[in-house]
Amino acid sequence: HPTGKAVLSLSESSQGQEAMLAQTAADELGIPREDVKVVHEDADRFGEDNSFNSGPSGAVAENVAIAARKLREKAELIAAWMLETSPAALQWYNGHWSVAGGGEGSVKIQAVALRAFGGDSLPDGVEGSLDAQTTYRVEGAQPAAQA
């Protein structure tokens, strides 16, 4: 969200893990847990009765972390552009990027989110908004990115 808050939209019914899933996303994004809203079985996106899991699965938390890292990687491209450096020159710590080696400048993920959604110019090849998706299969299958 432009404010730096996040919506975690899942295609499964609630398994009572909202707080844990919100914390997983928050840890990856460097934002407070209360800034992550967990939405289960979003009928607007996935239709009615399309939940995948009938019981809690560790794969859900793992894939929440993967999706949050994908989002953070895109945000890092924008952060580097905002700081006029390369992504390789940045350090990530607790919700913000700074120029490695004591260089000047830092930017919080909230400022990057505002830039991403704000309609201002962005780095070449980077579309506005910050979002990411991942899917998984049961029985140990590897997560697959979804377009």
Side-chain angles (χ1 to χ4, degrees):
H1 191 268
T3 63
K5 296 183 180 197
V7 175
L8 177 58
S9 180
L10 303 170
S11 61
E12 67 163 23
S13 59
S14 176
Q15 304 295 325
Q17 298 180 331
E18 290 82 0
M20 184 270 298
L21 295 174
Q23 188 64 57
T24 298
D27 288 347
E28 291 291 339
L29 298 174
I31 62 176
R33 183 181 80 192
E34 46 281 350
D35 285 353
V36 179
K37 178 180 180 180
V38 179
V39 178
H40 287 280
E41 199 170 18
D42 186 346
D44 290 338
R45 289 186 66 198
F46 305 109
E48 295 291 334
D49 299 323
N50 284 317
S51 62
F52 189 77
N53 288 336
S54 59
S57 169
V60 175
E62 178 184 345
N63 281 274
V64 165
I66 290 168
R69 281 193 295 272
K70 286 179 181 180
L71 188 146
R72 194 177 74 213
E73 288 168 5
K74 179 179 179 181
E76 184 175 71
L77 296 173
I78 299 169
W81 183 79
M82 290 171 72
L83 293 169
E84 299 179 353
T85 191
S86 73
L90 295 180
Q91 293 178 319
W92 167 258
Y93 178 73
N94 199 26
H96 73 275
W97 290 271
S98 59
V99 179
E104 291 188 31
S106 70
V107 64
K108 290 185 174 188
I109 195 164
Q110 291 86 347
V112 172
L114 184 59
R115 173 60 66 113
F117 284 93
D120 292 331
S121 59
L122 294 170
D124 290 338
V126 175
E127 295 180 8
S129 82
L130 288 178
D131 54 22
Q133 296 182 50
T134 190
T135 59
Y136 68 94
R137 296 188 179 117
V138 214
E139 300 177 27
Q142 294 296 315
Q146 180 181 21

